[in-house]
DNA sequence: TTGAAAGCGGTACCAG
DNA sequence: CTGGTACCGCTTTCAA
């Protein structure tokens, strides 16, 4: 077994309650004593026993993340960001990839202070949990828990709005999923509605289906689209990966951005890779999401009331990948 | 706070130590009493407090997984499999995405029974841990902990071996990484050596570099390769994703498998998607890896001695994607 | 077969 | 400022 505060007490020749105080940096211990104790604790490689501590304090300084769909890369950046954010708030993050209900039970047994659930489907019965829960990305409908989500519909609408206002009349959206995917459908829905609002044409090449959201799918879709004589003057892409493929296809076809075609990508990941050209994006920055999530978590832990449903507003970020459209004629 | 055994004791009108026994299914409790207690516990939605339990029993029935590189999809299937396997052994899996040392400290505080670390780089100083640790995929060199790993070098050698024995003289390997990547280099090394052993030619198109291991990279590489008049009669691919792209490129070029070209893919994921044709693969099945890992974990927990370095032998699985080579002439 | 009581490693309160 | 002690929820002897 590991080192306990009693071992430290013996070594430091003080009572173990003094050790406890010193280690918690209590002002009730004289500075030299404190230093001595801390030093000894360090030498002995002391690690406080969470079990014992949370047993009495009822707090574990731990947040449980329920993430059954690790295979979905989409959330890994988010989880990474959240982990980091919570670390700064001196919380430890623990992840379970079990199903919602199992995971929640586990975290309850572990007495985590709060739970974030990334779940695709709404759980039928609101799992009974002593620990407060916030969900992310779940249909806002009638989740039994407070929910944080990105307004994907609005994101795409914002993109269409920008393009329409800058003269584009023919816009395509690449990213409708062949398989059912609630999150993607929301984007498509936003596109459809915005096109309608602006009274633009909606034809067979306006919404392009893809098998997956990977780079190749974007490439394939765009290649196909460029074969048409009357290809759109602007494209909105459903994900960063798709966009990479789209750029490749455009480049390969010898067309140029933004002269021949403007592009806006849905994306909440900060542009890590530098693509050849900085992509215009629309979406909620990852940091905004993790900040909001942490905020809710902390509020929940402090038993404050929180909004039942938070819908994050996307930001539009226009770069050189977009240009006003003047009917295809050169401007000079 | 949640329900405790005392609440149950009160409701069942027995002492709380009896409740404890009943819930642990001890033979020291009469069957009817036991049933009654279990029923009440269930009604009350009792969840045993891990903190209290592990405080006294010194066991938490939990395995910690250190997985700092979640962004790397490679391991997600493995973690999923391991989680499932351990669940069957009635262990709970908890994941930390913090750096090795932090994560190990966290798990020590949590008194997990053992730790699995997926780490790319060998940690400089063997973090001091009370809890036994096993690492996966780390250079077998001189890890301070027992290690389980796949023999990637041997995998590729096995593939070359098969192809060479069935008449192939010109074989290419697609999957050398542009960025440094230890795991990939091992495969390339295996390829190089096997080619040498069989006295085959090693030219500029024998080993194809890729930017990443995604589908598109395979597509691009294969497309390039097929432009050569004297393209190889067989290709070995470094990953399942690469293979998907490779198949697409071959198909697009109007060539056929295995008539024009044979292909073997490095892969340990069970063929989930059915590609058009079943791919020949070489690698260690995921289940073998997770079984071995669990086995070591359990042994470690029981304080048995384990091998310091376990190197799993890859399996070759040949399907219709490979065919003996007779110099390019038709056989009939 | 059941109950009482000790104690796991800490925290926090109270007395000195 | 330091030490003593009750107790968190549970497991595990030991007695009844």
């Amino acid at each position: 077994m590991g080192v306990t505060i009693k071992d430290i007490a013996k070594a430091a020749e003080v009572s173990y309650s003094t050790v406890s105080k010193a280690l918690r940096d209590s002002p009730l211990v004289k500075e030299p004593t404190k230093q001595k104790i801390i030093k000894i604790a360090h030498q002995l490689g002391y690690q406080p026993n969470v079990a014992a501590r949370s047993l009495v304090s009822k707090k574990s300084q731990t947040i449980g993340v329920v993430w059954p769909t690790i295979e979905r890369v989409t959330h890994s950046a988010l989880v990474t960001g959240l982990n980091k954010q919570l670390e700064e708030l001196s919380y430890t993050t623990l992840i379970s990839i079990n199903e919602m209900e199992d995971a929640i039970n586990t975290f309850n047994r572990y007495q985590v202070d709060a739970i974030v659930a990334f779940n695709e489907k709404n759980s039928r019965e609101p799992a009974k949990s002593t620990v407060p829960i916030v969900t992310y990305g779940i249909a806002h409908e009638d989740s039994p828990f407070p929910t944080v989500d990105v307004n994907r519909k609005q994101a795409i609408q914002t993109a269409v709005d920008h393009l329409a206002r800058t003269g584009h009349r023919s816009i395509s959206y690449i990213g409708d999923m062949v398989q059912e995917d609630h999150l993607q459908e929301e984007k498509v829905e936003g596109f459809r509605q915005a096109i309608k609002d602006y009274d633009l044409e909606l034809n067979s090449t306006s919404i392009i289906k893809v098998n997956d959201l990977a780079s190749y799918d974007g490439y394939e879709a765009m290649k196909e689209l460029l074969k048409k004589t009357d290809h759109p003057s602007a494209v909105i892409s459903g994900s960063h990966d798709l966009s990479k493929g789209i750029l490749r296809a455009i480049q390969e076809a010898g067309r140029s951005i933004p002269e021949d075609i403007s592009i806006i990508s849905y994306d909440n990941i900060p542009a890590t890779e530098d693509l050849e050209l900085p992509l215009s994006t629309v979406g909620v920055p990852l940091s905004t999401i993790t900040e909001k999530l942490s905020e809710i978590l902390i509020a929940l832990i402090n038993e404050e009331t929180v909004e039942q449903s938070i819908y994050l507003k996307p930001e539009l970020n226009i770069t050189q990948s977009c240009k006003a459209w003047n009917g295809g004629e050169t401007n000079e």
Side-chain angles (χ1 to χ4, degrees), chain A:
Chain A
M1 262 305 304
V3 187
T4 77
I5 55 171
K6 288 183 185 164
D7 300 323
I8 300 174
K10 221 167 284 169
E13 297 174 307
V14 293
S15 79
Y16 74 86
S17 66
T18 305
V19 174
S20 173
K21 283 170 208 148
L23 260 20
R24 321 229 63 221
D25 198 25
S26 157
L28 301 177
V29 182
K30 239 196 309 184
E31 197 55 36
T33 323
K34 201 188 280 185
Q35 289 310 326
K36 184 175 157 202
I37 290 173
I38 291 176
K39 192 172 153 218
I40 293 179
H42 203 78
Q43 281 171 355
L44 265 39
Y46 171 74
Q47 289 289 345
N49 182 325
V50 183
R53 180 177 282 179
S54 76
L55 188 55
V56 33
S57 70
K58 308 294 190 206
K59 289 272 168 268
S60 59
Q61 288 289 334
T62 302
I63 305 287
V65 173
V66 181
W67 186 24
T69 53
I70 33 168
E71 319 258 354
R72 287 219 164 200
V73 202
T74 339
H75 289 155
S76 66
L78 186 50
V79 172
T80 309
L82 186 61
N83 182 71
K84 205 169 140 225
Q85 179 99 32
L86 290 171
E87 199 174 10
E88 278 162 22
L89 298 166
S90 65
Y91 276 91
T92 298
T93 306
L94 248 22
I95 301 167
S96 167
I97 58 174
N98 286 313
E99 281 311 310
M100 186 97 165
E101 212 176 313
D102 284 347
I104 289 180
N105 282 340
T106 300
F107 286 137
N108 268 277
R109 286 197 296 271
Y110 269 88
Q111 310 262 102
V112 300
D113 295 342
I115 296 173
V116 186
F118 295 87
N119 194 18
E120 312 280 279
K121 7 180 198 335
N122 241 309
S123 57
R124 319 135 296 265
E125 292 169 48
K128 65 165 92 180
S129 170
T130 317
V131 176
I133 299 179
V134 53
T135 57
Y136 170 83
I138 290 191
H140 22 290
E141 289 129 38
D142 38 22
S143 166
F145 314 111
T147 295
V148 171
D149 206 350
V150 169
N151 196 334
R152 296 178 182 77
K153 197 167 154 186
Q154 194 186 356
I156 303 301
Q157 285 174 321
T158 308
V160 173
D161 176 81
H162 172 81
L163 293 169
R165 283 173 189 278
T166 55
H168 291 271
R169 309 303 303 161
S170 170
I171 307 172
S172 281
Y173 177 78
I174 298 180
D176 191 14
M177 287 287 275
V178 170
Q179 297 143 296
E180 193 174 324
D181 182 325
H182 179 263
L183 303 185
Q184 303 314 317
E185 277 158 23
E186 232 182 290
K187 298 181 196 167
V188 175
E189 178 53 28
F191 180 76
R192 212 170 247 129
Q193 197 162 308
I195 290 292
K196 204 171 140 200
D197 289 349
Y198 275 98
D199 208 23
L200 301 177
E201 196 194 356
L202 194 68
N203 58 38
S204 65
T205 59
S206 297
I207 299 177
I208 314 283
K209 278 197 186 289
V210 291
N211 284 313
D212 202 350
L213 296 176
S215 165
Y216 183 80
D217 303 286
Y219 171 78
E220 207 172 27
M222 193 66 214
K223 205 162 134 186
E224 208 54 42
L225 197 53
L226 286 170
K227 283 186 186 161
K228 313 272 175 189
T229 46
D230 57 339
H231 66 74
S233 66
V235 166
I236 300 172
S237 149
S239 86
H240 181 72
D241 278 346
L242 282 178
S243 303
K244 285 197 291 183
I246 291 172
L247 291 184
R248 220 146 39 195
I250 294 176
Q251 191 184 10
E252 220 172 72
R255 320 309 293 267
S256 66
I257 299 174
E259 284 69 26
D260 297 316
I261 200 156
S262 289
I263 172 163
I264 299 181
S265 174
Y266 176 86
D267 197 2
N268 31 32
I269 304 173
T272 42
E273 301 164 87
D274 346 45
L275 298 164
E276 303 83 83
L277 95 169
L279 216 46
S280 303
T281 57
V282 65
V284 177
L286 214 64
S287 58
T288 308
I289 305 177
T290 59
E291 273 160 26
K292 192 42 118 179
L293 237 21
S294 314
E295 188 190 315
I296 304 280
L297 248 13
I298 303 297
L300 246 20
I301 291 172
N302 297 332
E303 297 183 323
E304 296 160 15
T305 51
V306 300
E307 270 181 84
Q308 179 62 19
S309 186
I310 291 163
Y311 227 13
L312 267 17
K313 187 168 165 244
E315 292 171 18
L316 182 64
N317 177 13
I318 296 298
T319 68
Q320 308 150 31
S321 82
C322 281
K323 176 175 176 289
W325 186 251
N326 52 24
E329 293 156 44
T330 324
N331 216 348
E332 19 200 338

